[in-house]
Amino acid sequence: MTSNGCGPEAGPTPADGTPALRIQSGADGSFSLFSNRFGEGFHGTIGALSEARAKFVRPAQLERFSAGQRLVVVDVGFGLGTNSAALLEAASGQGLTLQILGLELDPQPLRQALACAAFRRQWQPGTLAMLWALLERGGWCADGSQARLLWGDARSRVGGLLERHQLAGRCDLVLLDAFSPRRCPELWSLEFLSALARLLRPEGRLLTYCCAAAVRHSLQLAGLQLASIRPPQELGTMAPSQRIRPWSFGTAASPTALGLGSGPDCPLQPLTTMEIEHLGTRAAQPYRDPSGQAAAAVILAERQLAQAASAAASTSAWRRRWGLEGHPRTGAEPPRQPA
Ligand SMILES: C[S@@+](CC[C@H](N)C(=O)[O-])C[C@H]1O[C@@H](n2cnc3c(N)ncnc32)[C@H](O)[C@@H]1O
Protein backbone atom coordinates (compact mmCIF):
# COMPACT_ATOMS: atom_id res chain seq x y z
CA MET A 1 0.00 0.00 0.00
CA THR A 2 1.17 3.55 -0.69
CA SER A 3 0.62 6.50 1.65
CA ASN A 4 -2.52 7.24 -0.42
CA GLY A 5 -3.98 3.97 0.80
CA CYS A 6 -3.71 2.60 -2.72
CA GLY A 7 -2.97 -0.89 -3.81
CA PRO A 8 -0.23 -1.65 -6.28
CA GLU A 9 -0.52 0.11 -9.60
CA ALA A 10 -2.89 -1.99 -11.61
CA GLY A 11 -3.56 -2.34 -15.27
CA PRO A 12 -1.90 -4.06 -18.15
CA THR A 13 1.86 -3.89 -17.80
CA PRO A 14 3.74 -3.96 -21.08
CA ALA A 15 6.79 -6.17 -21.54
CA ASP A 16 9.13 -3.36 -20.43
CA GLY A 17 7.50 -3.38 -16.98
CA THR A 18 6.01 0.14 -17.20
CA PRO A 19 2.46 0.27 -15.82
CA ALA A 20 -0.09 1.74 -18.22
CA LEU A 21 -1.19 4.21 -15.55
CA ARG A 22 0.52 5.76 -12.57
CA ILE A 23 -0.85 7.80 -9.73
CA GLN A 24 -0.13 11.51 -9.56
CA SER A 25 -1.80 14.53 -8.04
CA GLY A 26 -1.85 18.21 -8.82
CA ALA A 27 -1.60 21.34 -6.67
CA ASP A 28 -4.85 20.67 -4.78
CA GLY A 29 -3.68 17.18 -3.74
CA SER A 30 -6.68 15.42 -5.26
CA PHE A 31 -6.25 12.06 -6.93
CA SER A 32 -5.26 11.80 -10.57
CA LEU A 33 -3.46 9.49 -12.95
CA PHE A 34 -0.85 9.75 -15.65
CA SER A 35 -1.27 7.67 -18.81
CA ASN A 36 1.93 6.23 -20.20
CA ARG A 37 0.05 5.22 -23.33
CA PHE A 38 -1.01 8.80 -24.12
CA GLY A 39 2.06 10.37 -22.47
CA GLU A 40 -0.10 12.81 -20.53
CA GLY A 41 -1.73 13.38 -17.17
CA PHE A 42 -5.49 13.00 -16.76
CA HIS A 43 -5.75 16.49 -15.26
CA GLY A 44 -3.99 19.83 -15.33
CA THR A 45 -1.48 21.20 -12.84
CA ILE A 46 -4.17 22.70 -10.58
CA GLY A 47 -5.40 19.20 -9.69
CA ALA A 48 -8.31 16.99 -10.67
CA LEU A 49 -10.98 18.34 -8.33
CA SER A 50 -10.06 21.99 -8.83
CA GLU A 51 -10.10 21.45 -12.56
CA ALA A 52 -13.47 19.69 -12.51
CA ARG A 53 -14.94 22.59 -10.56
CA ALA A 54 -13.29 25.45 -12.46
CA LYS A 55 -13.53 24.10 -16.00
CA PHE A 56 -16.71 22.03 -15.96
CA VAL A 57 -18.99 22.60 -12.93
CA ARG A 58 -18.67 26.38 -12.60
CA PRO A 59 -19.08 27.15 -16.33
CA ALA A 60 -22.12 24.84 -16.41
CA GLN A 61 -23.82 27.58 -14.35
CA LEU A 62 -26.26 25.23 -12.64
CA GLU A 63 -28.01 28.27 -11.18
CA ARG A 64 -29.61 28.66 -14.65
CA PHE A 65 -31.86 25.71 -13.82
CA SER A 66 -34.74 25.38 -11.38
CA ALA A 67 -34.83 22.90 -8.51
CA GLY A 68 -36.46 19.65 -9.61
CA GLN A 69 -35.14 19.79 -13.18
CA ARG A 70 -33.23 16.81 -14.58
CA LEU A 71 -30.23 17.63 -16.75
CA VAL A 72 -28.98 15.34 -19.48
CA VAL A 73 -25.18 15.18 -19.40
CA VAL A 74 -22.75 13.43 -21.75
CA ASP A 75 -19.28 12.97 -20.23
CA VAL A 76 -16.72 12.24 -22.98
CA GLY A 77 -13.55 10.62 -21.61
CA PHE A 78 -15.19 9.60 -18.32
CA GLY A 79 -11.85 8.38 -16.92
CA LEU A 80 -11.99 8.40 -13.11
CA GLY A 81 -15.38 10.07 -13.24
CA THR A 82 -14.11 13.21 -11.50
CA ASN A 83 -16.13 15.58 -13.66
CA SER A 84 -19.41 13.67 -13.40
CA ALA A 85 -18.92 13.10 -9.68
CA ALA A 86 -18.20 16.78 -8.98
CA LEU A 87 -21.17 17.79 -11.13
CA LEU A 88 -23.49 15.34 -9.35
CA GLU A 89 -22.54 16.76 -5.93
CA ALA A 90 -23.01 20.35 -7.11
CA ALA A 91 -26.33 19.50 -8.79
CA SER A 92 -27.79 17.71 -5.77
CA GLY A 93 -26.87 20.75 -3.66
CA GLN A 94 -29.20 22.75 -5.92
CA GLY A 95 -32.06 20.26 -6.00
CA LEU A 96 -31.26 19.13 -9.56
CA THR A 97 -30.99 15.56 -10.79
CA LEU A 98 -28.80 14.26 -13.60
CA GLN A 99 -29.00 11.70 -16.36
CA ILE A 100 -25.34 11.01 -17.11
CA LEU A 101 -24.04 9.11 -20.12
CA GLY A 102 -20.31 8.49 -19.90
CA LEU A 103 -18.19 7.54 -22.90
CA GLU A 104 -14.95 5.78 -22.07
CA LEU A 105 -12.53 3.43 -23.79
CA ASP A 106 -10.92 1.83 -20.77
CA PRO A 107 -12.32 0.74 -17.36
CA GLN A 108 -8.83 0.68 -15.83
CA PRO A 109 -8.62 4.36 -14.73
CA LEU A 110 -11.88 4.10 -12.76
CA ARG A 111 -10.87 0.72 -11.34
CA GLN A 112 -7.50 2.04 -10.25
CA ALA A 113 -8.99 5.19 -8.72
CA LEU A 114 -11.60 3.25 -6.74
CA ALA A 115 -8.84 0.99 -5.38
CA CYS A 116 -7.36 4.05 -3.71
CA ALA A 117 -8.66 5.31 -0.35
CA ALA A 118 -7.55 8.88 -1.09
CA PHE A 119 -9.82 8.91 -4.15
CA ARG A 120 -12.73 7.32 -2.30
CA ARG A 121 -12.47 9.89 0.50
CA GLN A 122 -13.02 12.70 -2.02
CA TRP A 123 -16.67 11.78 -2.50
CA GLN A 124 -19.96 11.77 -0.63
CA PRO A 125 -21.32 8.22 -0.06
CA GLY A 126 -23.98 8.50 -2.80
CA THR A 127 -21.41 9.71 -5.33
CA LEU A 128 -19.06 6.89 -4.45
CA ALA A 129 -21.94 4.43 -4.86
CA MET A 130 -22.47 5.79 -8.38
CA LEU A 131 -18.80 5.28 -9.29
CA TRP A 132 -18.73 1.71 -7.92
CA ALA A 133 -21.96 0.82 -9.71
CA LEU A 134 -20.68 2.22 -12.99
CA LEU A 135 -17.50 0.18 -12.74
CA GLU A 136 -19.22 -3.04 -11.67
CA ARG A 137 -22.50 -2.89 -13.59
CA GLY A 138 -22.14 -0.01 -16.04
CA GLY A 139 -25.27 1.64 -14.63
CA TRP A 140 -26.63 3.39 -11.53
CA CYS A 141 -29.88 4.96 -10.42
CA ALA A 142 -30.72 6.71 -7.13
CA ASP A 143 -32.60 9.72 -5.80
CA GLY A 144 -33.95 10.64 -9.23
CA SER A 145 -30.53 10.64 -10.92
CA GLN A 146 -29.14 7.95 -13.16
CA ALA A 147 -25.88 7.23 -14.92
CA ARG A 148 -24.68 4.81 -17.55
CA LEU A 149 -21.22 4.12 -18.91
CA LEU A 150 -20.92 3.21 -22.57
CA TRP A 151 -17.57 1.48 -22.97
CA GLY A 152 -15.69 1.66 -26.25
CA ASP A 153 -14.38 4.23 -28.68
CA ALA A 154 -16.42 7.40 -28.17
CA ARG A 155 -16.40 7.94 -31.94
CA SER A 156 -18.45 4.82 -32.49
CA ARG A 157 -20.64 5.47 -29.44
CA VAL A 158 -21.75 8.98 -30.29
CA GLY A 159 -23.89 7.78 -33.22
CA GLY A 160 -25.79 5.54 -30.79
CA LEU A 161 -26.44 8.51 -28.49
CA LEU A 162 -27.92 10.44 -31.40
CA GLU A 163 -29.98 7.61 -32.85
CA ARG A 164 -30.68 4.75 -30.41
CA HIS A 165 -30.79 6.97 -27.31
CA GLN A 166 -32.49 9.73 -29.34
CA LEU A 167 -30.46 12.41 -27.62
CA ALA A 168 -30.15 14.74 -30.63
CA GLY A 169 -30.97 18.23 -29.40
CA ARG A 170 -31.69 16.97 -25.86
CA CYS A 171 -28.45 17.40 -23.91
CA ASP A 172 -27.93 20.18 -21.42
CA LEU A 173 -24.21 19.60 -20.99
CA VAL A 174 -21.48 17.84 -22.93
CA LEU A 175 -18.27 17.60 -20.90
CA LEU A 176 -15.38 17.03 -23.30
CA ASP A 177 -12.32 15.93 -21.37
CA ALA A 178 -10.20 13.91 -23.77
CA PHE A 179 -6.41 13.95 -23.71
CA SER A 180 -5.05 16.97 -25.58
CA PRO A 181 -5.52 17.20 -29.36
CA ARG A 182 -1.92 16.30 -30.16
CA ARG A 183 -2.15 13.17 -28.00
CA CYS A 184 -5.68 12.11 -28.86
CA PRO A 185 -6.80 13.90 -32.07
CA GLU A 186 -9.51 11.25 -32.58
CA LEU A 187 -11.73 13.04 -30.04
CA TRP A 188 -11.15 16.56 -31.41
CA SER A 189 -11.92 16.07 -35.10
CA LEU A 190 -14.38 18.28 -36.91
CA GLU A 191 -16.55 15.22 -37.46
CA PHE A 192 -16.61 14.13 -33.81
CA LEU A 193 -17.16 17.68 -32.52
CA SER A 194 -20.00 18.12 -35.03
CA ALA A 195 -21.66 14.97 -33.71
CA LEU A 196 -21.34 16.27 -30.13
CA ALA A 197 -22.78 19.62 -31.25
CA ARG A 198 -25.86 17.79 -32.56
CA LEU A 199 -26.52 16.46 -29.07
CA LEU A 200 -27.02 19.91 -27.59
CA ARG A 201 -30.31 21.60 -26.79
CA PRO A 202 -30.51 25.20 -28.05
CA GLU A 203 -29.37 26.41 -24.60
CA GLY A 204 -27.10 23.43 -24.03
CA ARG A 205 -23.36 23.80 -23.50
CA LEU A 206 -20.32 21.89 -24.56
CA LEU A 207 -17.57 22.54 -22.02
CA THR A 208 -13.91 21.70 -22.38
CA TYR A 209 -10.59 22.68 -20.82
CA CYS A 210 -9.19 22.98 -24.36
CA CYS A 211 -8.46 26.40 -25.90
CA ALA A 212 -6.77 25.10 -29.05
CA ALA A 213 -7.63 27.15 -32.13
CA ALA A 214 -8.34 23.99 -34.17
CA VAL A 215 -10.94 22.91 -31.62
CA ARG A 216 -12.55 26.32 -31.27
CA HIS A 217 -12.68 26.78 -35.05
CA SER A 218 -14.22 23.31 -35.52
CA LEU A 219 -16.87 24.11 -32.90
CA GLN A 220 -17.71 27.25 -34.89
CA LEU A 221 -17.88 25.22 -38.11
CA ALA A 222 -20.26 22.88 -36.26
CA GLY A 223 -22.58 25.87 -35.79
CA LEU A 224 -21.79 26.69 -32.16
CA GLN A 225 -21.13 30.05 -30.56
CA LEU A 226 -18.08 30.35 -28.35
CA ALA A 227 -17.08 31.80 -25.02
CA SER A 228 -13.86 31.54 -23.07
CA ILE A 229 -13.84 30.03 -19.57
CA ARG A 230 -12.54 32.63 -17.14
CA PRO A 231 -9.82 31.47 -14.74
CA PRO A 232 -11.22 31.66 -11.20
CA GLN A 233 -10.07 34.41 -8.83
CA GLU A 234 -8.84 31.85 -6.27
CA LEU A 235 -5.85 31.07 -8.48
CA GLY A 236 -4.17 34.14 -7.00
CA THR A 237 -4.21 32.51 -3.55
CA MET A 238 -2.37 29.36 -4.65
CA ALA A 239 1.22 28.53 -3.73
CA PRO A 240 3.70 30.77 -5.60
CA SER A 241 4.93 27.90 -7.80
CA GLN A 242 1.35 27.31 -8.95
CA ARG A 243 0.37 30.96 -9.26
CA ILE A 244 -0.32 31.05 -12.92
CA ARG A 245 -2.80 33.36 -14.55
CA PRO A 246 -3.54 31.75 -17.90
CA TRP A 247 -5.57 33.72 -20.40
CA SER A 248 -8.25 31.08 -20.63
CA PHE A 249 -9.38 28.05 -18.68
CA GLY A 250 -11.11 26.49 -21.65
CA THR A 251 -14.01 26.84 -24.01
CA ALA A 252 -17.79 26.88 -23.71
CA ALA A 253 -19.81 26.39 -26.90
CA SER A 254 -23.55 26.50 -27.49
CA PRO A 255 -26.02 26.56 -30.40
CA THR A 256 -27.29 29.92 -29.04
CA ALA A 257 -25.53 32.94 -27.55
CA LEU A 258 -23.96 32.24 -24.16
CA GLY A 259 -24.75 34.50 -21.23
CA LEU A 260 -21.51 36.42 -20.78
CA GLY A 261 -20.62 38.76 -17.99
CA SER A 262 -17.82 41.23 -17.52
CA GLY A 263 -17.50 40.79 -13.72
CA PRO A 264 -14.88 38.44 -12.23
CA ASP A 265 -17.65 36.21 -10.85
CA CYS A 266 -18.99 35.32 -14.29
CA PRO A 267 -17.36 32.05 -15.39
CA LEU A 268 -17.66 32.87 -19.09
CA GLN A 269 -16.24 35.79 -20.99
CA PRO A 270 -16.21 36.79 -24.66
CA LEU A 271 -13.16 35.75 -26.65
CA THR A 272 -10.56 38.52 -26.55
CA THR A 273 -9.07 40.05 -29.70
CA MET A 274 -6.05 37.83 -29.14
CA GLU A 275 -8.21 34.70 -29.00
CA ILE A 276 -10.23 35.72 -32.06
CA GLU A 277 -7.03 36.36 -34.05
CA HIS A 278 -5.81 32.90 -33.01
CA LEU A 279 -8.73 31.43 -34.97
CA GLY A 280 -7.42 33.07 -38.15
CA THR A 281 -4.01 31.36 -37.94
CA ARG A 282 -2.80 28.01 -39.24
CA ALA A 283 -3.33 26.58 -35.75
CA ALA A 284 -7.06 26.70 -36.49
CA GLN A 285 -6.76 23.99 -39.16
CA PRO A 286 -9.25 21.34 -38.03
CA TYR A 287 -8.37 17.74 -37.27
CA ARG A 288 -10.24 15.60 -39.82
CA ASP A 289 -11.56 12.05 -39.42
CA PRO A 290 -14.36 11.48 -41.97
CA SER A 291 -14.42 7.70 -41.43
CA GLY A 292 -14.55 8.05 -37.63
CA GLN A 293 -11.93 5.32 -37.45
CA ALA A 294 -8.64 6.95 -38.42
CA ALA A 295 -5.54 6.35 -36.32
CA ALA A 296 -4.14 9.32 -34.39
CA ALA A 297 -0.96 9.38 -36.50
CA VAL A 298 -2.97 9.61 -39.72
CA ILE A 299 -5.15 12.44 -38.40
CA LEU A 300 -2.07 14.38 -37.28
CA ALA A 301 -0.16 13.82 -40.53
CA GLU A 302 -3.10 14.89 -42.69
CA ARG A 303 -3.59 18.04 -40.64
CA GLN A 304 0.09 18.88 -40.99
CA LEU A 305 -0.19 18.60 -44.78
CA ALA A 306 -3.29 20.81 -44.79
CA GLN A 307 -1.50 23.38 -42.62
CA ALA A 308 1.49 23.45 -44.95
CA ALA A 309 -0.83 24.15 -47.88
CA SER A 310 -2.88 26.74 -45.97
CA ALA A 311 -2.84 30.46 -46.75
CA ALA A 312 -3.86 31.30 -43.15
CA ALA A 313 -1.71 33.62 -41.03
CA SER A 314 1.35 32.26 -39.23
CA THR A 315 0.71 31.13 -35.67
CA SER A 316 4.29 31.96 -34.64
CA ALA A 317 3.77 35.57 -35.75
CA TRP A 318 0.55 35.67 -33.70
CA ARG A 319 2.41 34.33 -30.67
CA ARG A 320 5.17 36.92 -31.05
CA ARG A 321 2.65 39.72 -31.45
CA TRP A 322 0.91 38.75 -28.23
CA GLY A 323 4.07 37.96 -26.22
CA LEU A 324 3.23 34.26 -25.86
CA GLU A 325 6.59 32.76 -26.80
CA GLY A 326 7.33 31.62 -23.24
CA HIS A 327 4.19 29.49 -23.12
CA PRO A 328 3.93 26.08 -24.71
CA ARG A 329 1.54 25.90 -27.64
CA THR A 330 -1.26 28.36 -27.03
CA GLY A 331 -0.39 30.54 -24.07
CA ALA A 332 -3.17 29.05 -21.98
CA GLU A 333 -2.28 26.79 -19.11
CA PRO A 334 -0.72 23.63 -20.60
CA PRO A 335 -3.85 21.47 -20.74
CA ARG A 336 -2.50 18.37 -19.09
CA GLN A 337 0.52 17.50 -16.99
CA PRO A 338 3.24 16.35 -19.37
CA ALA A 339 5.62 13.47 -18.71
C1 LIG B 1 -8.01 13.20 -19.69
S1 LIG B 1 -8.66 11.63 -19.36
C2 LIG B 1 -10.26 12.00 -18.69
C3 LIG B 1 -10.30 12.40 -17.25
C4 LIG B 1 -11.69 12.28 -16.70
N1 LIG B 1 -12.63 13.15 -17.33
C5 LIG B 1 -11.72 12.45 -15.21
O1 LIG B 1 -12.31 13.42 -14.75
O2 LIG B 1 -11.16 11.63 -14.54
C6 LIG B 1 -9.14 11.10 -20.98
C7 LIG B 1 -9.91 9.81 -20.99
O3 LIG B 1 -10.29 9.54 -22.34
C8 LIG B 1 -10.25 8.14 -22.54
N2 LIG B 1 -10.16 7.90 -23.99
C9 LIG B 1 -9.07 8.01 -24.79
N3 LIG B 1 -9.40 7.74 -26.07
C10 LIG B 1 -10.73 7.47 -26.08
C11 LIG B 1 -11.66 7.11 -27.10
N4 LIG B 1 -11.30 7.00 -28.37
N5 LIG B 1 -12.93 6.91 -26.73
C12 LIG B 1 -13.33 7.02 -25.44
N6 LIG B 1 -12.50 7.36 -24.43
C13 LIG B 1 -11.22 7.58 -24.75
C14 LIG B 1 -9.05 7.70 -21.75
O4 LIG B 1 -9.11 6.32 -21.43
C15 LIG B 1 -9.13 8.59 -20.51
O5 LIG B 1 -9.84 7.97 -19.49
Side-chain angles (χ1 to χ4, degrees), residues 38 41-43 75 77-83 103-106 109 152-154 177-179 184 187 336:
F38 287 93
F42 276 53
H43 300 96
D75 184 348
F78 187 86
L80 333 175
T82 312
N83 294 336
L103 305 185
E104 174 55 55
L105 195 58
D106 180 8
D153 190 325
D177 196 14
F179 290 114
C184 188
L187 299 191
R336 289 293 186 260

Side-chain angles (χ1 to χ4, degrees), residues 294-310:
V298 172
I299 300 173
L300 293 174
E302 287 182 356
R303 176 170 180 265
Q304 220 170 359
L305 286 177
Q307 280 181 308
S310 162

Side-chain angles (χ1 to χ4, degrees), residues 31-57:
F31 182 94
S32 185
L33 291 171
F34 181 91
S35 166
N36 284 316
R37 173 178 165 195
F38 287 93
E40 201 167 68
F42 276 53
H43 300 96
T45 51
I46 62 170
L49 259 180
S50 299
E51 186 168 77
R53 289 175 182 145
K55 302 184 181 180
F56 295 96
V57 177

Side-chain angles (χ1 to χ4, degrees), residues 64 169-171 199-205 224 253-258:
R64 294 181 294 145
R170 291 187 47 217
C171 293
L199 290 167
L200 292 170
R201 280 184 201 285
E203 313 293 330
R205 287 183 184 178
L224 303 184
S254 175
T256 55
L258 288 140

Side-chain angles (χ1 to χ4, degrees), residues 153-312:
D153 190 325
R155 291 178 293 179
S156 56
R157 287 303 198 169
V158 72
L161 291 185
L162 287 163
E163 281 135 40
R164 195 152 34 81
H165 292 267
Q166 300 189 327
L167 285 185
R170 291 187 47 217
C171 293
D172 298 283
L173 296 169
V174 172
L175 313 180
L176 177 51
D177 196 14
F179 290 114
S180 64
R182 291 182 193 211
R183 303 284 181 175
C184 188
E186 304 94 301
L187 299 191
W188 303 99
S189 71
L190 175 59
E191 290 76 10
F192 185 66
L193 294 173
S194 300
L196 295 182
R198 287 176 53 210
L199 290 167
L200 292 170
R201 280 184 201 285
E203 313 293 330
R205 287 183 184 178
L206 181 149
L207 300 169
T208 177
Y209 70 88
C210 186
C211 318
V215 170
R216 286 182 165 179
H217 182 47
S218 297
L219 291 169
Q220 285 181 322
L221 292 173
L224 303 184
Q225 306 201 33
L226 302 183
S228 191
I229 298 177
R230 191 193 302 272
Q233 293 285 90
E234 311 86 81
L235 271 185
T237 62
M238 293 172 86
S241 61
Q242 302 295 335
R243 209 173 287 152
I244 40 164
R245 190 75 197 163
W247 49 259
S248 176
F249 245 34
T251 306
S254 175
T256 55
L258 288 140
L260 307 175
S262 53
D265 291 339
C266 181
L268 302 183
Q269 60 192 5
L271 266 58
T272 60
T273 307
M274 179 185 85
E275 290 172 281
I276 293 167
E277 283 184 11
H278 194 200
L279 304 185
T281 73
R282 254 170 251 167
Q285 184 72 43
Y287 296 88
R288 299 302 309 266
D289 180 17
S291 70
Q293 297 180 344
V298 172
I299 300 173
L300 293 174
E302 287 182 356
R303 176 170 180 265
Q304 220 170 359
L305 286 177
Q307 280 181 308
S310 162

